[in-house]
Amino acid sequence: MVDLGNSAVDFYPKQEHPENGRSGEFVCTPQELCCLMEIRGPEALQKIRELYGDIGSLCRRLRTSAMEGLSDNPAEFERRVRFYGINLIPPKKPKTFLQLIWEALQDVTLIILEVAAVVSLALSFYQPGRDMDDVCLGEPSSPDEEGGGEAGWIEGVAILLSVLCVVLVTAFNDWSKERQFRGLQNRIEQEQQFSVVRHGQVVQIPVADITVGDVAQIKYGDLLPADGILIQGNDLKIDESALTGESDHVRKSADKDPVLLSGTHVMEGSGRMLVIAVGIHSQTGIILALLGAGVEEEEKKGKKAKKQDGASSREIKPLKSPEAVEEVEAVEADERKKKKPHPPRKEKSVLQGKLTKLAVQIGKAGLMMSAITVIILILSFTIQTFWVDGRTWLSDCTAVYIQYLVKFFIIGVTVLVVAVPEGLPLAVTISLAYSVKKMMKDNNLVRHLDACETMGNATAICSDKTGTLTTNRMTVVQAFVGNVFYKEVPEPGKIRNETLQLLTYAIVVNCAYTSKLLPPDVKGGLMRQIGNKTECALLDFLKMLQKDYQEIRQEIPEEQLYKVYTFNSGRKSMSTVIRMPDGHFRLFCKGASEIVLKLCVTILDAEGELSTFTPQHQEEVMKSTIELMASHGLRTICIAYRDIPADPEPNWDNESEVISKLTCLCVVGIEDPVRPEVPDAILKCQQAGITVRMVTGDNISTARAIASKCGIIQPGDDFLCLEGKEFNALIRDENGEIEQERLDKVWPRLRVLARSSPTDKHTLVKGIIDSTIGEQRQVVAVTGDGTNDGPALKKADVGFAMGIAGTDVAKEASDIIITDDNFSSIVKAVMWGRNVYDSISKFLQFQLTVNVVAVIVAFTGACITQDSPLKAVQMLWVNLIMDSFASLALATEPPTDALLRRRPYGRQKPLISRTMMKNILGHGVYQLIIIFSLLFAGEVLFGIDSGRNAPLHSPPSEHYTIIFNSFVLMQLCNEINARKIHGERNVFEGIHTNLIFCSIVIGTFASQVLIVQFGGKPFNCTPLNIEQWLWCLMLGIGELLWGQVIALIPASRFTFLEARLGRQKDDLDDEELAEDEEEIDHAERELRRGQILWFRGLNRIQTQVRQTRKCPWFPFLHRVLLAFALLRPRVDLRPRVDFGFFRPRIDLRPRVDFGFLRPRVDVNLRNKYVPDRSL
């Protein structure tokens, strides 16, 4: 029985275009066509025959032609779009600016600050009388405080305005971020085009322009953009798992199952499809529309429940599929979580994991410091007022006391505001968005933002050869025809006419009809190659032989092809069967030379006669011809044919029997030159600590030659070049199972994997990622262009799809699309990824310095002067500088080549390096010395009145204004220092190239001048004179000079500064413990861990005391530690021996260690210093 699934459905004769001469409305309604697409298999075919008679009648009702497609009449196209709809599913409605403002107001810290400001504002209108301060506190009102009570409302209003400013900035950043994400999604959608027949010509149009009645050309690797009916297909297999959930590929044919659905993938074959339903009328659109309505209804109903559950609102991000598809996956994931107690968690990106842990650690430390600040202020006020001064609580003084308590509370909250790293997410977002925008110009279309920074940590790249390392401009340069080897393309007269005619048919008929040559864009240029580049090279070979392939295509249209075995990674070949005039069949085959050659039993000689092709002769041709071509880096393709009798007709499904006993016609050597920029790009990768591996389907000789030209392998290196069979033999055991131990012996030396299948690529990528033989886990990037590359692209840390040669399936599975298919674009992605990582590190170095100084200043001021030298509004201004402005300035630094001259950071390396910690503490010491000097001796140095111990509502003082101004100017100069995080001396290098940075620094300085000179009471500032300004500027510029001093000190001497903040490995927090030990009672676990810590703490202290008692200064150290221990309140109830902020650490030398780094026991009971999470 003949498989008619690979032949045309001959229901339509060639005719005049049906749109001509027809007017009025369309006969078939969208609802009618939707109902038709809901049926599958033979039932759908039966329904078509009942309703329309045949495909030709359906085409006429849709006013289209199965052969010519739609006309190019714009007016007709607009009418179709109005009637049938546009091929676009409306995206989820974006959040309004007011919604974003409301979300920004939900921040807990800001809510606390708002409440405190409102209370302060309300109390400011209550005036207990001029003599109440004297009665309640014993502090008579000074003449300078006249009007101070009336102006008390200013501070509350200023705090509310500052909160409003922070909210507006946050909402604007979220709005711009969402707009950028939308723009990125639109860019991805615009990049997707599809081939349709318009007025008899095959053209590429955007998917959104496809309409009902279009005739679409579908091929291997396509993602179907609309619902349709198959008109003609060749060996067509569809993956419908996205809609039906069935993983098996479904064979489609025009006479059995012609229904094709949008969102499904073409896994094999090709064909033509009549578009029946588009957009919201397609099956995918209907599902998404229903889901969207359901999601909205669910959101309305379950809003309160979600709030109680603490579920955070979803953020719109660029997606691999439309928003609603992700909503489905999210719902399914939630259901799976409910069913399974231990769901597998997706591994966070390198930077994401480190930042999450760092933010938690800093936030807890900030919360502790703010709580301690409030407690000390309240205790100090209470002790001073009711114990030392011996006053009693008077009911008339309640308002005064509450005003002081609110003031202390506001100070504590502002300490928390400054300490909490709110700018971290903003800095990450800005850096990623900026990088994505710039990467587009470098031919990298980023589909998932975290792929940017992950690529910066890549340690291995598995790259394709064709089109990535080479130009993908293929040309036949050598040939073996008629048993004769030609080192150059032979003249037509050197080949017999019969042989040449047979070769012409073998190439034209057995190439996809979508592959073609077009005239050059520039006069005298090369022909433009459209479609498969290897097939284009063969068609160009015919041009050299003075043969016209178009004539044969007109003689044998695609509909007359009897059977087509399309190319796939398993066959490594393509075969086409046609029926000859005398009734017998002729099969043409082309493919990998060593595979097709083994299927040949005869060969056509120079005289056009058939001669036996013995194995010895095959071996001779392999060595003298194919290996010779491959050694020069040529891709070798063998072309063969076979005549098959019509009676009996063979079983076309028995592929191994049909494609056998071939006659060798020709072997061609196709040159695909290495891209000129690739060797330099690979050298940069190697210098950057990245191993490049070539994974290709070409034979081993060609792959080795290209790898040598690219610089992947070099003489004298210890490397492996393997074929797929050898690779599998080395890594599999006797049962055919992959063993990681065997794989670990292969992949470190492997540089070239030839004749590999997509499964081999996936195995290699998975093996490298799962390997534990190195110090850290490998971060692997993979390039792919084929449909079957999808699993490897998904498994890789970063998947790169080819924008030109890549299939829609590969693009859907990828993280980044390379729009020019060039390997050098991957190197640019590495550079941008490392730049993202460095930008975040720069921002962290700057922010943590501000955090440390501001928190210590506020805490110390509260403890000693019962007030913070930096007021609430000033703290919010500093917070705005270090969060929004600094993140924008430092996150937009352009990358440099220096980024590629160091090794990747790796997953286990701390986010804050030793050099960064040295800079943070070094600059923090300088700023603290300056601030404390100004705080306790500023009035003497500048000859002004002291601002310490000022009464409530006192006017701003020059003293505290100088402190505030010097602090901000030091941060501005330290922002310049933060541009370099690897110990570089020249912090101004390349500063002129970042206009955003320069603008923000200048703008911040100008704003500071306005705040100091004209801010007045709202900012607690009084104008400064020129001399005071110059001193403040000199103290700020001193930061730059001090930075040079710090750079002189090698970081290697500061081993005790090795920060473990943000470290991922073995950093098991309470949330992770809860996931692993969900069934264990939490109280029991805490008790056991407390007991372990208690005994280990005692043991450590005993060891350290024995060491330190030998030192002469031990008594002094003991008193200092004891004093700190007495000053610090306990913050938890677990048993722990505590020495305050400084405590002994196990070492041969006596040394102090920062408080929140303390011993903890992990699940393996190993002693490690890790951040304390119990604060």
Side-chain angles (χ1 to χ4, degrees), residues 36 41-52 256 258:
L36 178 62
E43 294 179 6
L45 200 61
Q46 182 65 28
K47 189 75 172 178
I48 293 172
R49 287 172 178 163
E50 288 176 2
L51 294 176
Y52 311 108
K256 292 180 181 177

Side-chain angles (χ1 to χ4, degrees), residues 114 167 174 250 323 349 503 551 633-634 663 689 738 873 1095:
E114 291 160 13
V167 167
D174 289 341
V250 181
E323 286 87 351
S349 67
L503 178 61
E551 294 179 359
L634 303 183
T663 298
I738 298 172
V873 179
F1095 288 114

Side-chain angles (χ1 to χ4, degrees), residues 465-472 672 675 802 820-823:
K465 178 184 73 68
T466 304
T468 308
L469 301 176
T470 59
T471 60
N472 205 20
D672 187 12
R675 292 180 183 268
M802 303 296 106
D820 64 346
D821 291 12
N822 195 336
F823 183 84

Side-chain angles (χ1 to χ4, degrees), residues 326-341:
E326 187 173 83
E327 297 283 352
V328 173
E329 294 173 354
V331 171
E332 290 176 351
D334 291 341
E335 290 177 356
R336 286 195 297 269
K337 282 185 179 180
K338 291 176 183 178
K339 292 177 182 178
K340 297 181 182 180

Side-chain angles (χ1 to χ4, degrees), residues 517-542:
L517 302 174
L518 296 181
D521 292 328
V522 183
K523 188 177 181 180
L526 296 172
M527 298 283 288
R528 286 185 293 150
Q529 297 181 342
I530 307 297
N532 184 279
K533 303 303 181 184
T534 303
E535 294 181 340
C536 288
L538 295 174
L539 296 177
D540 190 46
F541 177 52
L542 294 181

Side-chain angles (χ1 to χ4, degrees), residues 727-800:
F727 175 69
N728 280 282
L730 289 174
I731 66 171
R732 296 181 185 272
D733 59 15
E734 297 78 8
N735 300 321
E737 298 293 328
I738 298 172
E739 288 188 357
Q740 185 64 43
E741 292 183 5
R742 293 177 178 235
L743 190 54
D744 287 342
K745 296 177 181 178
V746 175
W747 72 260
R749 296 170 53 215
L750 183 66
R751 294 296 178 270
V752 175
L753 184 58
R755 285 291 179 234
S756 63
S757 65
T759 305
D760 295 336
K761 180 186 284 189
H762 180 266
T763 301
L764 176 62
V765 172
K766 184 178 184 300
I768 296 176
I769 291 175
D770 294 345
S771 177
T772 58
I773 60 173
E775 296 180 359
Q776 58 189 17
R777 184 177 89 68
Q778 296 281 310
V779 179
V780 183
V782 171
T783 68
D785 56 6
T787 300
N788 290 333
D789 288 331
L793 290 171
K794 280 186 174 291
K795 180 62 183 175
D797 295 289
V798 182
F800 287 88

Side-chain angles (χ1 to χ4, degrees), residues 208-222:
D209 291 346
I210 295 176
T211 186
V212 173
D214 262 322
V215 176
Q217 296 258 14
I218 60 177
K219 62 184 185 303
Y220 160 81
D222 281 343

Side-chain angles (χ1 to χ4, degrees), residues 112-137:
I112 295 172
L113 206 54
E114 291 160 13
V115 172
V118 170
V119 173
S120 174
L121 187 62
L123 291 174
S124 66
F125 292 106
Y126 173 74
Q127 300 297 328
R130 293 292 179 201
D131 56 346
M132 288 308 296
D133 281 351
D134 186 26
V135 173
C136 299
L137 304 174

